[in-house]
Each structure stands twice: as C-alpha cells, then as structure tokens.
C-alpha cells in the first residue's frame, strides 16, 4: 500500500470513527443566563430554578405542554365533582423518586400541605389558598377538596411551585433535589453549571439524552463566543439579540423565535413616596417610549403591552393607548402632583440584558421629565433580597414569566405593594368562576383596572429567541412555562 492509499485508508477509518461517535452523541450542553439561587422550585420565585428542574427533575400532578395546554403529569387521570370543589387524582403506578423510594399518595398530601402551610416559603402560595383539605384515600389516589370552585385549579397544579416532593428528601432539597422526572440531578458546579443525567427508572418514556448540562453564561459576549466555538449546543433565551442575524445566516445554527409568558414591566413600589399618587405613576408610564426600548434593548424583538397580560392570549385587551409616550403630558402630571421639578428615586436592575439595557434607556426617558434615577445593578440573589422580599427600591425592571399571573396584583404584600380591595374582589370572583364567557369578562376588567391605575409601567411582552445547533431537535420555540424541557430533545443522527 502506497502512502496515498495509506492516507486514504486512515482518513476513512477516522471518518467512520467520527461518524460513529456522532451517531452515538447523547449529551447536550444548554446555555442559560442565570444561575438558580438554590434547587427547590417550591420555595423561591427565581425562574432559573424552573428552567433547569421543571419537568426534567421534578413533576407535578399535571404538566404544561409546548403549546401551553395542560395535560396529565404524575396523575394519569382525575374526576371532578359536579359542584367543582372535589378533585380525585389517580396517580400513575410504579413511579419512583430518584432515591429509589416509591411515589405514594401521601407524598402528594405532604407536598400540597407544605405549599399551603402558614409558614410556607412557596413563592406562589396563593395557588394553594383555596385548598380546604388533601387526603390520601388509597396508595395512588388523592382527593383534594376546595373551599369553592376554581376554574384554574388544574392549570395551577402544573406550575413549578406545585411539583411533588418527598418528605424524606426535603431537608437537602436546595442542594440535592430529588424528584420523579426523566432526569435526575447529578452535579452543581457553583458559578458554572448544573448537570442532570437520564433516570434509568423513569416511569414514562425514556429521554433520548443520557446527560445534559446547563451552563451559566451571564454576559452576552460570552454567550456569543460559546455558541460560535461549539462549547454549548444551544442557548435558551439568547441574551444578545443583535447577534441573531449572524446566527440566522450560519447553517450550523437554527434560531427559534417564539412567544413567552413574560410581561416585562417597570415595576413601581406603590407604597414608596411619591409613587402612592396615581398621577406620578401615570407620568412615569407616559415617559416610557415602549418601541424605543424594544428597538434599543431587544433589537426589535418584543410586543408593546399596556397591562400585565400576554398579547397572544385570546382575552388580551390592547391598552397601550392608556399611556402613550408623551413627555410634556407627563411633566404636567408631575407638576399637578406637586413635583414640578421632578424627584430622585432608585432603579434596581437584575442581571438579564433586557433589564440592564432597558434600564439605561428608561433612565434617560425619565430624566426628560425630571425624574433622576440612581441605577444599581444587582445579582439575582441581591434582587430577591432587596426588591422582592425587602421592598427596598423605587423602581425595577423585570419580566414576569409565570403564566396567567395577573392575580399577583391582588396581593397587597407582593413586591410592588398594590392594595386595591376592588381588584382583590374581582380576582376572588375570577378564581371561583367556571363559565368561560364570564371568566373572559373578568379577565378583561382586571386588565383595565391595573392599566388605568398605572400600577406599573407596562413595557413589552418578552420574545423568546433561542439559538440551537441545527442538528439538535426538540427545544421548545415558545415558553408557556419557564422550563427548558429536555424530555423530548434529541440529536439528528
């Protein structure tokens, strides 16, 4: 064999080896921008926890599908009483937690009772407020009794805050999560990544991936470099929209452009002066040029909103006209409220690029009407401590990615501290209403109420733009929930 033949043969062997290795590829590295503060989705508001763990490691009685519909989860079926107050859930048999213990009805009782307990740390405790009792009537049968009908109960049970946990693992859940999902937790390299591996004992369809790593990359430039170098296989909710044109032109990548449930708002501390005055809040809203923020911070990706409701929802009302961009009218409102020369306040920004970039633009827009803002760039844990729990802020920017969460405005102790008894009554009526037509009316009234009260500055609906290796299939283009669901992800062979 001459040298050319030897080289050709060697190349063929190398190609076959590489092809075999490619065909066998069963791991994936997914870039995300934020690192979870801990790993218990039932005791924190951080969406990054659900991004990694929901449906991958933890599961609920019901679950969200890629189109936002709610279907069976750990409960394979359920019956609802005629009066709408009793739900009997039938659990799948043979389900095991990752520590080898069996899922039993008593674990559901424990999880729901823990979530609704007086000392519960659950960020969405209101989801469970209507539960009167939870009872295990058999090894795989759970009866949940409500104090009144709830039109959204099955929807509520699909939230990451309602996943089922076991009492045996609860003490270590924040660092060692034990669920029932298709993947089990493997390793958390603080400041770097979380790795999950295929659960060999999963009760449902086995995932194609044997292992997945969520890599934390907060800086947009680093996200771009990691994708171009092939260090990550996908970046979920890519943080630098200015790069998307370049990725779209590169055949190695697919750009997924979809919708989220994320209402991006300039949240206002309604109990911090001078924001208790609706004229001041309206002035803030009218200082905002939504499209300039979308263009400047998001490179055109995003839909202007005038209330806290997703534009793709059939009951959405376009209320952007309640607060048109009008600096002169905003100045007049401030003068009427006693602030002809404006005032100073704080603008505390969490890490996402929409907040940091949008914050600079909004600060400039507010300066035009005399409002000077002291910008503080906070890490996520700091934001949760100072803003979400501590109320120590004037304004902030955040995208609320929880689905159908307009009910948060009925909680006076929620971080923007809006206290409107009329709105609270409206949401209470909505929570027990099952008639679709009446629910639609109430949802529209709720949107109008908070828009006309100028509770917050409503900016835009966050678009979901993810960059994916063109050979990787199954990443959801839309985000009906905050999860990066990897249970259906696979490589093209």
């Amino acid at each position: 064999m001459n040298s050319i033949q030897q080289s050709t043969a060697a190349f063929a062997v190398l190609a076959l080896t590489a092809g075999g290795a490619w065909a066998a590829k069963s791991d994936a590295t997914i870039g995300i921008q934020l690192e979870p503060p801990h790993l218990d989705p039932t005791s924190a508001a951080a969406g990054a926890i659900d991004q990694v763990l929901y449906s991958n490691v933890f599961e609920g009685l019901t679950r969200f599908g890629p189109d936002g519909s709610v279907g069976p989860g750990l409960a394979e079926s359920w019956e609802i009483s005629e009066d709408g107050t009793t739900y009997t859930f039938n659990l799948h048999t043979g389900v095991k937690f990752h520590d080898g213990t069996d899922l039993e009805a008593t674990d559901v009782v424990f999880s729901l009772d823990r979530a609704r307990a007086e000392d519960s740390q659950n960020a969405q405790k209101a989801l469970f407020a209507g539960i009167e009792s939870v009872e295990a009537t058999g090894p795989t049968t759970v009866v949940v009794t409500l104090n009144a009908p709830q039109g959204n109960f099955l929807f509520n049970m699909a939230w990451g805050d309602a996943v089922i946990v076991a009492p045996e693992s609860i003490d270590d859940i924040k660092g060692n999560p034990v669920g029932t999902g298709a993947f089990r937790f493997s390793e958390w390299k603080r400041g770097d990544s979380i790795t999950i591996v295929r659960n060999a004992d999963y009760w449902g369809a086995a995932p194609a991936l044997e292992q997945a790593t969520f890599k934390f990359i907060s800086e947009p430039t680093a996200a771009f470099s990691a994708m171009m170098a092939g260090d990550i296989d996908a970046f979920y909710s890519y943080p630098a929209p200015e790069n998307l044109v370049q990725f779209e032109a590169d055949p190695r990548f697919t750009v997924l452009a979809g919708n989220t449930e994320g209402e991006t708002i300039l949240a206002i501390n309604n109990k911090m002066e001078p924001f208790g005055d609706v004229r001041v809040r309206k002035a803030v809203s009218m200082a905002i040029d939504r499209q300039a923020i979308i263009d400047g911070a998001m490179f055109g990706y995003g839909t202007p909103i005038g209330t806290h409701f997703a534009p793709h929802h059939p009951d959405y009302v376009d209320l952007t006209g309640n607060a048109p961009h009008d600096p002169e009218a905003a100045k007049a409102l401030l003068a009427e409220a006693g602030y002809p020369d404006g005032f100073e306040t704080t603008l505390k920004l969490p890490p996402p690029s929409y907040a940091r970039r949008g914050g600079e633009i909004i600060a400039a827009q507010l300066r035009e009407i005399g409002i000077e803002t002291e910008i503080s760039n906070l890490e996520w844990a700091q934001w949760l401590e100072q803003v979400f729990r501590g109320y120590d802020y004037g304004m902030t920017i955040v995208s609320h990615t929880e689905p159908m969460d307009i009910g948060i405005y009925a909680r006076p102790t929620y971080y923007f501290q809006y206290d409107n008894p009329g709105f609270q009554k409206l949401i209470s009526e909505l929570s027990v209403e099952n008639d679709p037509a009446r629910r639609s009316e109430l949802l529209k009234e709720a949107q109008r109420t908070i828009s006309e009260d100028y509770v917050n500055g409503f900016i835009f609906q966050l678009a979901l733009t993810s960059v994916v290796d063109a050979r990787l299939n199954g990443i959801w283009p839309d985000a009906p929930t905050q999860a990066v669901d990897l249970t259906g992800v696979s490589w093209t062979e």
Side-chain angles (χ1 to χ4, degrees):
M1 184 181 293
N2 61 36
S3 60
I4 295 177
Q5 289 173 317
Q6 289 175 330
S7 298
T8 302
F11 179 80
V13 170
L14 183 61
L16 285 170
T17 303
W22 170 249
K25 185 173 176 64
S26 60
D27 66 296
T29 301
I30 312 296
I32 57 175
Q33 198 168 13
L34 300 178
E35 179 173 15
H38 59 72
L39 304 181
D40 177 13
T42 66
S43 64
I49 303 175
D50 275 3
Q51 274 195 323
V52 174
L53 299 175
Y54 176 83
S55 77
N56 295 323
V57 173
F58 287 111
E59 299 174 300
L61 292 172
T62 57
R63 69 184 296 163
F64 290 115
D67 61 352
S69 60
V70 175
L74 290 174
E76 63 178 353
S77 63
W78 50 82
E79 294 87 41
I80 307 172
S81 64
E82 287 189 14
D83 66 358
T85 61
T86 302
Y87 287 72
T88 301
F89 292 98
N90 306 302
L91 306 180
H92 284 279
T93 58
V95 179
K96 291 184 178 293
F97 284 99
H98 299 150
D99 61 4
T101 59
D102 293 328
L103 169 73
E104 298 175 342
T106 52
D107 296 310
V108 176
V109 175
F110 169 78
S111 299
L112 297 185
D113 281 350
R114 174 175 173 262
R116 67 193 186 94
E118 187 174 341
D119 61 350
S120 169
Q121 299 300 306
N122 196 294
Q124 301 296 336
K125 190 175 177 181
L127 294 175
F128 313 95
I131 296 177
E132 189 171 283
S133 66
V134 187
E135 181 184 2
T137 58
T140 58
T141 305
V142 179
V143 176
V144 180
T145 302
L146 308 177
N147 53 29
Q150 280 190 30
N152 266 3
F153 185 66
L154 294 174
F155 180 89
N156 293 346
M157 291 300 98
W159 283 48
D161 307 82
V163 295
I164 303 305
V165 296
E168 297 87 356
S169 62
I170 207 67
D171 290 342
D172 299 323
I173 190 172
K174 291 187 175 181
N176 182 32
V178 175
T180 58
F183 295 92
R184 58 180 177 82
F185 170 74
S186 176
E187 183 181 21
W188 184 3
K189 294 180 180 178
R190 305 275 178 153
D192 180 75
S193 62
I194 289 175
T195 298
I196 58 178
V197 297
R198 182 193 291 163
N199 174 17
D201 298 321
Y202 185 53
W203 60 271
L209 295 178
E210 292 181 3
Q211 176 176 298
T213 299
F214 289 89
K215 183 82 171 173
F216 315 130
I217 305 175
S218 60
E219 291 299 322
T221 52
F224 178 77
S225 298
M227 280 302 308
M228 294 300 290
D231 295 335
I232 57 177
D233 301 307
F235 202 107
Y236 185 81
S237 191
Y238 185 75
E242 66 270 23
N243 300 142
L244 294 176
V245 172
Q246 188 170 346
F247 285 118
E248 287 172 340
D250 192 324
R252 294 178 298 161
F253 305 107
T254 298
V255 174
L256 303 176
N259 297 310
T260 78
E261 294 293 324
E263 291 81 27
T264 305
I265 63 173
L266 175 65
I268 298 172
N269 189 342
N270 281 233
K271 286 195 175 177
M272 176 178 283
E273 291 304 324
F275 298 120
D277 190 323
V278 68
R279 294 170 296 183
V280 173
R281 299 196 302 270
K282 183 175 182 178
V284 168
S285 293
M286 296 186 77
I288 295 172
D289 184 342
R290 298 179 181 92
Q291 195 59 50
I293 299 166
I294 293 170
D295 292 339
M298 306 304 295
F299 290 80
Y301 290 93
T303 304
I305 57 173
T307 189
H308 197 108
F309 209 75
H312 53 263
H313 193 284
D315 291 321
Y316 175 73
V317 182
D318 183 358
L319 298 168
T320 51
N322 282 345
H325 177 55
D326 190 338
E328 292 307 313
K331 289 179 185 177
L333 282 166
L334 287 182
E336 184 183 325
Y339 298 93
D341 300 319
F343 57 89
E344 296 180 1
T345 190
T346 58
L347 179 58
K348 298 193 174 184
L349 304 175
S353 55
Y354 67 76
R356 299 281 172 90
R357 293 176 175 180
E360 296 291 342
I361 297 170
I362 286 177
Q365 293 175 353
L366 291 173
R367 191 174 299 118
E368 288 185 27
I369 68 166
I371 299 176
E372 292 291 335
T373 57
E374 178 187 345
I375 292 180
S376 299
N377 290 328
L378 306 180
E379 294 306 309
W380 187 244
Q382 294 174 304
W383 187 91
L384 289 170
E385 184 63 29
Q386 293 182 31
V387 177
F388 190 78
R389 288 191 289 267
Y391 312 132
D392 182 17
Y393 78 105
M395 293 183 287
T396 186
I397 300 173
V398 69
S399 187
H400 282 256
T401 52
E402 299 86 357
M404 276 289 292
D405 61 346
I406 197 169
I408 57 179
Y409 289 78
R411 306 180 202 169
T413 59
Y414 202 65
Y415 76 97
F416 32 78
Q417 300 190 93
Y418 173 61
D419 190 355
N420 180 341
F423 186 84
Q424 293 156 24
K425 182 179 179 182
L426 191 157
I427 292 299
S428 294
E429 183 180 348
L430 176 67
S431 69
V432 300
E433 181 59 64
N434 286 312
D435 178 65
R438 179 56 181 157
R439 285 183 59 81
S440 178
E441 291 175 4
L442 292 169
L443 283 170
K444 291 174 180 178
E445 185 180 346
Q447 293 172 63
R448 292 189 181 96
T449 299
I450 60 173
S451 179
E452 293 165 6
D453 250 356
Y454 301 93
V455 183
N456 294 311
F458 304 107
I459 311 173
F460 63 88
Q461 194 74 11
L462 190 67
L464 178 66
T465 50
S466 299
V467 181
V468 181
D469 186 303
R471 301 164 297 184
L472 190 64
N473 309 302
I475 298 289
W476 292 6
D478 298 315
T481 177
Q482 300 177 88
V484 185
D485 188 329
L486 299 180
T487 57
V489 170
S490 63
W491 287 96
T492 299
E493 295 188 6

